């Protein structure tokens, strides 16, 4: 996977994760282009998109669009399921996730993503294991928060 | 220790964990971030947002700079900075603080610090170097969470050069008791493998261990590495097939823990990964494929549930089945599967069905037949992506009979699309189809007109180039004349219309064609008409300067009649004062040539044959001018390449005293290499596919300007090309042209197979029959659609590597093809000076064989080459590069061959005799090579009855690797039409056979000689070869083979003095350190023994050994007389050898180190 973007129906970026080295300017251009293209598509249309030499896989959950860029030989359907699994993870973690959760706790959303995908590849596909890893780290935070240093 | 932490954690009350989770979900509106976000949502305009964020960033800046800010506050600030960046505002001042936070914060702050780093920076950022120590510290921490965080950040980004610093620690983690750590370590190594494959070469055995890990997560992670490894080199991993099949069988059989199920499908990600690996393993390998048939079938059978995830697995399964060696039973099932996809009402599945069809019709075009109606419907689908994929599918099934309909559909799509990327892609495809299958001239020209108007200025430049070459190259029969005439007519009528909308590239094509071929229509119209049209074009405002110069060039060729001359004079007056120098020059040329008919006839002969052009290749007519200029104190000529090099050298701070002349160039290449090294694949790559043979200038300008290819390429980097060309020419099979009147109408009965239940209207039926004509049982010969044997009306004559030509941009390219030859020679002659220069300025050219002969003489006369002075050696290493491009200085010091004792031994003919197996072939070694060190003879391939056998042998010449291919014909009949082609993108291969190889008599052996040098250092490269030949009364046949060449074949000793070594050491920028094994023998010091072993195996030169340190030097062959040096500094440390490598090129130390490791382990 080359990158993942989350944006709202209004075109506001909520999360961005880049797995290939790109300059700031390129990143901005790509996300602007993609947000525009995807928002212009009708709901019944294909979830896949050819864009430059990449394949874009996107899906809308409520007011949020999740969008991944993969290479042409990659499997589009499984990418769609990666998105779905990520949403499931968020849902489980936040407890019935909504856009606001992700807006206000975006760093948490990033932590979950990092436990699930690493360097653009699925790292751990077991839901239980991902959440366990996150819980442990969170727990440590609480412990540190309790005892003054 | 880490266990202790773990236990503490798990012992904490679960209540706490629940709290933390619940708390995590809810926002705290009182926080500063909460306020910021709220503030933004309340705003109404972008402008207000900008103002607010600016204010926020100011305050963040103030706070991070304050010494009183605690790490805890810093964490909160960093989150806000991330938020601002996400909104698109630059917060670069906070990057350094993110690193500081990761460094100094407690665990919870560190986590945010690492996150900010991974979001802000990318792996090319220099800031990352500051993180290395932190990462190292955290990797060694006893706290599991810290280790996890460090591994997470490392797997996302890490500076390539610093990998050795943390590699041992990461490696250690592979045996960590916690699976999460092992898993992350494997992924970190995967990342390292992607960015610097050679550095993890030595831990491949540990990857195998990871593959056998008891935790499925770790095993899954290791498959990422294996997928990559197997993709690059399937041959080396065939032994894993059994394991992969077993794993897949277990997964499919539901043997994994239920945690890994996804919507009750067992580990789908793992399944897909395994299927992909199997596809690579089984490709073109029957034996391996047979091992996996069962499990593939089982996968197909099990994936029946109606859910997206099962479709994902099915899709991958189908792809694998069609990639591996075919088994009809499986193919049938897979085809059925594809059918389900295509017919599915779900649009995503339909798309994938089309994609799968596109993939499989390459093997069997008939598979598209049952889906004709669906395909037709998809052609008019409202979603562009479906349409696009359908066209892709049609492109694959195009043949001479359906080409017109398919091209029409593609052009239709092109007219509507506004996406540059698909325009470039489709335009190229239309041009390809048109060239291959055009039924007649009229259609071809009209299609190309559409291509040029639609492709405009974004299309690949080789489309117009190929088109013009095709026009120019034709044999001068009636048909070619007609084609040209038709082109001219069509362009004249285009120019008579509105030209404002025509792209510049198209106008340039038009001008060139009109300039060249207008004479064909001259008799029937008034002579000035074309000239007037061109003049009108010239005056239009939207015409670019470049196009204008093409137009002027065309006018120069046309001004024969009095009317035209008057017009030309008019034009000249206007443009001879132009501010643009190119235009001004063109105008001057036009002026002079239009007035001097005789000169014009000589320079631009209207009926001139391209082939008959004779050129003074030595540019002797300029000698007087040059010597005069030199006498008057002018600087000798330097090639642009050399000038650029000088410039680079001047720009760099030189701390060294002058006077050192390196045998190599610290060329700018290394810099650009670095920049382009890891370019993102998403960048629009617009550079044209210029051939490797093209000249410097064409590299610089080729991508934007048109090239004219009227001229047979006579000169290349390696001298006169005539021999190579004739050797590179493949026999063009005689093909019958399809009768254009008959072809589009073939019996419709076979093609009408509409799927059941559909009642398509007449129009669609008709479309279907015209689209799918040619596919079907009666036509099984051209089922492949794009098979090479398909009739090609407009196939270009094979020309080998001759695509580069006069590409000096508009300044000369708009000349007629004939005059362009002069420029072409100007260019290539510079590159050829090496050959001319080697014989003391004499006018004779030296063939490489002669050079090597001389080299040999020197070797034999030099009793002990090692006594030679160093200065001389340095010179001898690079005489050609000193002379290169100079053109005037023609005296070259004779090349002294320097061989180390090891090779020296091989030089004696005796060892060759000791290898009786080699004997028959050894006698065929060319005399001038027989004395040089060489490898054994490797058999490459032979046909079934061993009537033809190929073997290879490498001869290590001082300035190149000579690859000899022996073709032994063991049959009575002779071989004819032999053509041997060697290809490898990492190598520069040039043929030096004395005479072009055409045939081999019965029971005899023929030898092909090629010099090979590496373009770029790499550990090992695969060379692919293809020999095509024909037996009398037989079909043309071909034999394929491959040969791997390793870096060590291209290494030569570099003899320098200790002093020079020191100077070079300081000037090289790429270095690498590593500990190597020491070799121990009884009678030698370990250091000496190790260095001797390296010297023997890798042809290195041991410069000096002082105490426990030794310095070693070598160079990598790269082009004639050039070489890239690599210096090694070795020091004995306890029982290992610390080696420090330095070189001006980034890849060399990496690859050399690999070979050193290998050489020492073998000892």
């Amino acid at each position: 996977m080359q990158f993942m973007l989350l944006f709202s129906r209004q075109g506001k970026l909520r999360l961005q994760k880049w797995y290939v080295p790109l300059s700031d300017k390129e990143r901005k251009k790509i996300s602007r282009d993609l947000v525009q293209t995807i928002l212009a598509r009708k709901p019944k249309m294909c979830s896949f998109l050819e864009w430059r030499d990449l394949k874009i896989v996107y899906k809308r959950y409520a007011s949020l669009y999740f969008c991944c860029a993969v290479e042409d030989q990659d499997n589009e359907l499984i990418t769609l399921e990666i998105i779905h699994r990520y949403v499931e993870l968020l849902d489980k973690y936040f407890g019935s996730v909504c856009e606001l959760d992700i807006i206000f706790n975006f760093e948490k959303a990033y932590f979950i993503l990092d436990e699930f995908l690493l360097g653009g590849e699925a790292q751990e596909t077991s839901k239980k294991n991902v959440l366990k890893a996150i819980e442990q780290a969170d727990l440590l935070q609480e412990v540190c928060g309790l005892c003054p240093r | 220790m880490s266990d202790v932490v773990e236990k503490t954690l798990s012992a904490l009350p679960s209540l706490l964990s629940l709290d933390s989770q619940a708390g995590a979900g809810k926002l705290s509106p009182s926080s500063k971030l909460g306020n910021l976000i709220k503030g933004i949502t309340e705003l109404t305009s972008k402008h207000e947002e900008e103002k607010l964020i600016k204010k926020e960033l100011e305050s963040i800046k103030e706070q991070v700079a304050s010494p009183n800010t605690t790490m805890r506050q810093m964490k909160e600030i960093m989150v806000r900075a991330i938020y601002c960046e996400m909104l698109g505002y630059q917060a670069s001042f906070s990057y350094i603080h993110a690193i500081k936070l990761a460094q100094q914060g407690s665990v919870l702050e560190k986590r945010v610090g690492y996150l900010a780093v991974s979001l802000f920076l990318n792996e090319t950022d220099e800031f990352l170097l500051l993180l290395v120590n932190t990462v190292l510290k955290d990797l060694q921490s006893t706290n599991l969470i810290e280790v996890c965080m460090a591994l997470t950040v490392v797997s996302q980004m890490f500076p390539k050069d610093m990998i050795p610093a943390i590699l041992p620690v990461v490696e250690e983690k592979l045996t960590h008791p916690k699976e999460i750590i092992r898993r992350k370590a494997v992924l970190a190594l995967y990342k390292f493998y992607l960015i610097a494959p050679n550095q993890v070469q030595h831990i491949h055995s540990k990857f195998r261990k990871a593959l056998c890990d008891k935790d499925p997560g770790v095993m899954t992670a290791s498959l990422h590495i294996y997928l990559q490894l197997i993709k690059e080199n399937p041959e080396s991993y065939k032994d894993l097939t059994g394991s992969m099949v077993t794993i897949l069988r277990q997964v499919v059989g539901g043997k994994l823990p239920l945690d890994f199920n996804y919507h009750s499908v067992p580990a789908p990600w793992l399944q897909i990964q395994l299927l992909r690996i199997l596809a690579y393993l089984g490709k073109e390998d029957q034996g391996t494929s047979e091992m996996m048939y069962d499990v593939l079938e089982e996968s197909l059978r099990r994936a029946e549930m109606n859910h997206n995830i099962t479709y994902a697995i099915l899709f991958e399964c189908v792809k694998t089945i069609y990639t591996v060696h075919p088994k009809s039973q499986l193919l049938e099932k897979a085809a059925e599967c594809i059918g389900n996809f295509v017919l599915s009402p779900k649009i995503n599945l339909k798309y994938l069905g089309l994609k799968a069809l596109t993939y499989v019709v390459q093997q069997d075009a008939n598979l598209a037949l049952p889906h004709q109606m669906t395909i037709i419907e998809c052609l008019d689908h409202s979603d562009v992506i479906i349409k696009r994929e359908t066209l892709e599918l049609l492109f694959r099934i195009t043949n001479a009979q359906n080409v017109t309909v398919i091209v029409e559909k593609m052009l239709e799509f092109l007219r509507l699309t506004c996406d540059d990327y698909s325009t470039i892609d489709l335009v190229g495809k239309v041009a390809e189809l048109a060239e291959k299958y055009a039924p007649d001239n009229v259609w071809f020209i009209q299609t190309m007109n559409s291509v040029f108007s639609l492709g405009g200025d974004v299309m690949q430049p080789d489309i117009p180039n190929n088109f013009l070459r095709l026009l120019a190259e034709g044999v001068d029969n009636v048909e070619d004349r007609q084609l040209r005439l038709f082109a001219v007519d069509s362009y004249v009528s285009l120019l008579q219309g509105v030209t404002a909308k025509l792209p510049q590239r198209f106008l340039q094509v038009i001008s060139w064609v009109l300039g060249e071929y207008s004479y064909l229509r001259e008799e029937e119209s008034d002579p000035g008409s074309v000239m007037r049209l061109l003049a009108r074009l010239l005056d239009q405002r939207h015409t670019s300067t470049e196009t204008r110069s093409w137009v002027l060039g065309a006018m120069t060729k046309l001004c024969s009649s009095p009317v035209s001359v008057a017009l030309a004079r008019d034009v000249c007056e206007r443009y001879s004062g132009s501010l643009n120098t190119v235009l001004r020059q063109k105008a001057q040329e036009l002026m002079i040539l239009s007035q001097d008919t005789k000169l014009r006839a000589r320079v631009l002969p209207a009926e001139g044959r391209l082939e008959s052009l004779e050129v003074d290749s030595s540019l002797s007519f300029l000698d007087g001018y040059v010597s005069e200029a030199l006498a008057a104190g002018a600087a000798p000529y330097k090639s642009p390449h050399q000038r650029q090099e000088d410039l680079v050298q001047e720009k760099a701070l030189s701390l060294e005293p002058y006077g050192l002349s390196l045998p190599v160039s610290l060329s700018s290449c290394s810099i650009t290499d670095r920049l382009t090294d890891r370019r993102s694949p998403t960048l629009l790559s617009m550079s044209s596919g210029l051939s490797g043979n093209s000249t410097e200038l064409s590299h610089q300008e080729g991508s934007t300007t048109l090239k004219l290819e009227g001229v047979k390429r006579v000169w290349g980097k390696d001298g006169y090309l005539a021999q190579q060309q004739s050797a590179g020419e493949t026999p063009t099979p005689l093909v019958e042209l399809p009768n254009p009147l008959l072809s589009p109408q073939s019996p419709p009965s076979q093609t009408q197979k509409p799927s059941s239940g559909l009642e398509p209207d007449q129009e669609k039926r008709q479309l279907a029959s015209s689209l799918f004509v040619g596919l079907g049982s009666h036509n099984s010969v051209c089922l492949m659609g794009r098979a090479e044997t398909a009739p090609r009306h407009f196939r270009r004559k094979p020309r080998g590597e001759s695509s580069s030509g006069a590409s000096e941009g508009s300044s000369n390219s708009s000349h007629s093809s004939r005059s362009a030859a002069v420029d072409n020679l100007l260019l290539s002659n510079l590159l050829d000076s090496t050959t001319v220069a080697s014989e003391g300025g004499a006018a004779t050219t030296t063939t490489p064989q002669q050079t090597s002969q001389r080299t040999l003489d020197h070797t034999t006369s030099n009793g002990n080459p090692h006594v030679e002075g160093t200065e001389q050696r340095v010179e001898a290493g690079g005489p050609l590069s000193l002379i290169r491009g100079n053109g005037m200085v023609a005296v070259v010091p004779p090349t002294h061959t320097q061989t180390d004792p090891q090779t020296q031994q091989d030089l004696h003919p005796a060892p060759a005799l000791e290898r009786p197996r080699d004997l028959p072939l050894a006698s065929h070694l060319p005399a001038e090579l027989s004395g040089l060190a060489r490898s054994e003879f490797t058999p490459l391939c032979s046909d079934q009855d061993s009537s033809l056998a190929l073997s290879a042998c490498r001869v290590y010449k001082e300035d190149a690797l000579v690859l000899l291919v022996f073709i032994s014909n063991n049959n009575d009949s002779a071989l004819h039409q032999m053509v041997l082609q060697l290809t490898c993108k990492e190598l520069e291969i040039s043929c030096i056979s004395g005479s072009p190889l055409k045939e081999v008599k019965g029971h005899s052996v023929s030898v092909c000689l090629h010099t090979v040098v590496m373009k770029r250092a790499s550990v090992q490269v695969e060379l692919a070869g293809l020999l095509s030949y024909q037996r009398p009364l037989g079909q043309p046949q071909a034999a394929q083979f491959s040969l791997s060449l390793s870096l060590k074949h291209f290494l030569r000793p570099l003899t320098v003095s200790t002093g020079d070594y020191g100077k070079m050491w300081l000037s090289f920028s790429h270095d690498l350190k590593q500990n190597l094994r020491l070799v121990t023998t009884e009678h030698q010091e370990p250091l000496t023994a190790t260095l001797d072993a390296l010297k023997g195996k890798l042809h290195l030169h041991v410069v000096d050994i002082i105490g426990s340190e030794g310095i070693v030097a070598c160079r990598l062959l790269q082009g004639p007389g050039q070489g890239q040096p690599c210096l090694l500094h070795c020091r004995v440390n306890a029982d290992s050898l610390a080696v420090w490598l330095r070189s001006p090129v980034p890849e060399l130390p990496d690859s050399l180190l690999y070979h050193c490791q290998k050489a020492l382990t073998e000892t």
Side-chain angles (χ1 to χ4, degrees), chain B residues 830-850:
Chain B
L830 302 173
L831 295 163
D832 290 330
S833 54
T834 49
T835 35
V836 184
S838 29
E839 271 297 350
T844 54
T845 50
T846 329
T847 65
Q849 283 100 324
Q850 278 169 306

Side-chain angles (χ1 to χ4, degrees), chain B residues 472-624:
Chain B
E473 264 178 6
V475 201
D476 211 13
N477 56 24
V478 182
E479 198 168 325
D480 280 322
R481 277 180 92 91
Q482 270 177 354
L483 176 66
R484 290 171 189 163
L485 183 59
F486 188 77
V488 169
D489 285 341
S490 115
Y491 294 157
V492 166
S493 53
L494 266 176
L495 286 191
Q496 280 159 350
V498 183
T499 53
K501 288 241 169 79
L502 295 180
Q504 299 299 320
R505 288 267 191 82
F506 192 19
L507 290 175
Q508 291 162 12
V509 169
I510 291 178
S511 328
W512 188 84
V513 173
L514 288 182
E516 285 289 307
Y517 301 117
S518 285
Y519 72 90
L520 290 171
R521 77 194 287 274
E522 211 62 53
E523 52 256 36
E524 53 191 273
S525 65
D526 79 302
S529 66
V530 174
M531 198 72 173
R532 264 195 299 277
L533 284 174
L534 288 174
R536 197 175 70 127
L537 192 59
L538 208 54
D539 292 340
Q540 269 158 6
R541 208 152 39 89
H542 57 81
T543 312
S544 76
T545 317
E546 199 193 331
T547 311
R548 284 201 174 116
S549 77
W550 284 75
V551 174
L552 283 172
M555 289 176 118
T556 316
K557 295 174 211 161
L558 290 177
C559 52
S560 51
S561 69
V563 194
S564 316
V565 172
L567 210 72
R569 194 169 303 134
D570 222 35
V571 168
C572 291
E573 267 166 31
R574 237 170 318 132
Y575 285 92
S576 54
S578 165
L579 282 180
N580 184 302
T581 46
V582 178
L583 280 187
R584 206 155 64 198
Q585 189 190 338
K586 290 274 162 193
Q588 291 291 348
E589 281 170 15
L590 175 59
M591 175 110 78
I592 292 164
L593 291 177
S594 66
Q595 282 159 6
D596 191 340
T597 354
K598 262 193 201 156
L599 181 65
R600 204 179 72 87
R602 217 161 58 103
V603 179
L604 306 163
E607 286 284 356
R609 288 269 56 77
L610 314 170
E611 283 74 18
S612 65
L613 191 71
E614 271 182 41
V615 181
D616 181 2
S617 53
S618 62
L619 297 187
S620 59
F621 58 92
L622 281 175
D623 283 355

Side-chain angles (χ1 to χ4, degrees), chain B residues 725-761:
Chain B
Q725 258 180 16
S726 48
E729 244 162 72
T730 42
T732 324
L734 270 176
V735 287
E736 270 178 48
L737 299 176
N739 188 336
L741 286 175
L742 288 176
S743 53
Q745 306 290 333
S746 78
S749 54
Q750 274 132 341
T751 53
Q752 291 280 14
K753 272 195 233 160
S755 39
S756 58
L758 278 169
E759 197 47 68
D761 54 25

Side-chain angles (χ1 to χ4, degrees), chain B residues 85-104:
Chain B
E85 280 255 327
M86 188 157 62
L87 289 178
Y89 298 88
Q90 189 85 22
S92 48
F93 62 85
S94 59
Y95 296 175
I96 186 75
H97 296 282
I99 291 177
K100 235 164 87 185
L101 189 62
Q103 223 161 50
Q104 298 165 1

Side-chain angles (χ1 to χ4, degrees), chain A residues 2-3 12-17 19 21-24 26-28 30 41 44-50 52-55 72-78 80-82 84-85 88 92-94 100-101 103-108 110-111 114-116 118-119 121-129 132-146 149, chain B residues 6 9 12 16-17 20-21 24-27 33-34 37 49 72 79 82-83 85-88 90 106-109 111-112 115 118-123 143 145 152 155-156 180 183-184 187 190 217 224 231 259-263 268-269 272 276 307-309 311-312 315-316 319 341 347-349 351-352 355 382-383 385 388-389 421 678 680-683:
Chain A
Q2 306 240 334
F3 55 84
K12 279 245 188 291
L13 209 55
R14 295 299 179 212
L15 216 66
Q16 53 172 345
K17 188 85 194 176
Y19 297 111
L22 289 172
S23 75
D24 208 42
E26 285 167 307
R27 288 180 181 185
K28 272 184 198 153
I30 292 173
R41 288 176 67 83
K44 284 275 152 115
M45 282 184 168
C46 197
S47 306
F48 317 130
L49 200 62
E50 261 161 43
R52 297 198 190 170
D53 53 349
L54 295 178
K55 195 57 71 63
D72 194 48
Q73 69 269 19
D74 284 334
N75 190 319
E76 290 91 349
L77 278 181
I78 199 81
L80 214 49
E81 296 313 300
I82 283 185
H84 189 72
R85 177 39 66 99
E88 281 179 4
K92 185 98 186 193
Y93 181 81
F94 288 109
L100 280 184
D101 289 325
I103 296 175
F104 283 94
N105 295 290
F106 63 89
E107 82 270 22
K108 299 270 165 43
Y110 275 123
F111 291 142
D114 278 349
E115 284 306 318
F116 176 46
L118 195 49
E121 305 284 352
Q123 179 197 180
E124 178 61 78
T125 53
S126 145
K127 199 161 31 173
K128 198 180 87 189
N129 288 353
K132 204 169 88 190
I134 294 288
E135 259 167 46
Q136 278 182 2
D138 280 348
L139 206 53
L140 197 72
Q141 286 202 357
E142 296 298 324
V143 176
C144 292
L146 289 178
R149 287 190 301 132
Chain B
E6 248 254 307
L9 281 178
L12 277 167
L16 194 59
S17 90
S20 82
Q21 219 182 313
K26 298 304 151 218
L27 52 113
L33 175 72
I37 295 170
E49 182 190 297
R72 184 164 241 208
V79 174
I82 296 176
Y83 191 78
E85 280 255 327
M86 188 157 62
L87 289 178
Q90 189 85 22
S106 69
V107 184
L108 81 152
E109 293 138 14
R111 197 179 178 203
V112 175
L115 175 69
S118 72
L119 292 172
F120 288 157
L121 305 180
N122 67 46
E123 59 198 54
N143 186 333
I145 307 284
T152 305
S155 320
Q156 294 183 64
I180 184 169
R183 193 178 70 214
K184 282 183 193 265
L187 282 167
Y190 169 64
H224 293 303
K231 189 168 149 195
D259 287 347
F260 290 90
N261 277 13
Y262 177 84
H263 295 265
W269 280 274
I272 283 171
R276 291 179 72 182
H307 186 274
N308 257 347
I309 196 73
Y311 287 122
F315 180 74
E316 207 61 47
K319 249 172 87 177
F341 274 94
I347 189 160
N348 287 347
L349 297 185
Y351 171 79
L352 284 180
K355 193 178 158 182
S382 54
D383 194 348
I385 182 131
R388 183 77 184 72
E389 195 59 41
Y421 208 86
R678 294 176 42 70
S680 143
T682 56
L683 290 177

Side-chain angles (χ1 to χ4, degrees), chain B residues 962-978:
Chain B
V962 182
L963 185 68
L964 295 96
V965 179
F966 295 86
I967 304 160
S968 336
N969 182 5
N970 304 326
N971 205 326
D972 291 330
S973 54
L975 300 170
H976 295 289
Q977 313 238 27
M978 304 253 300

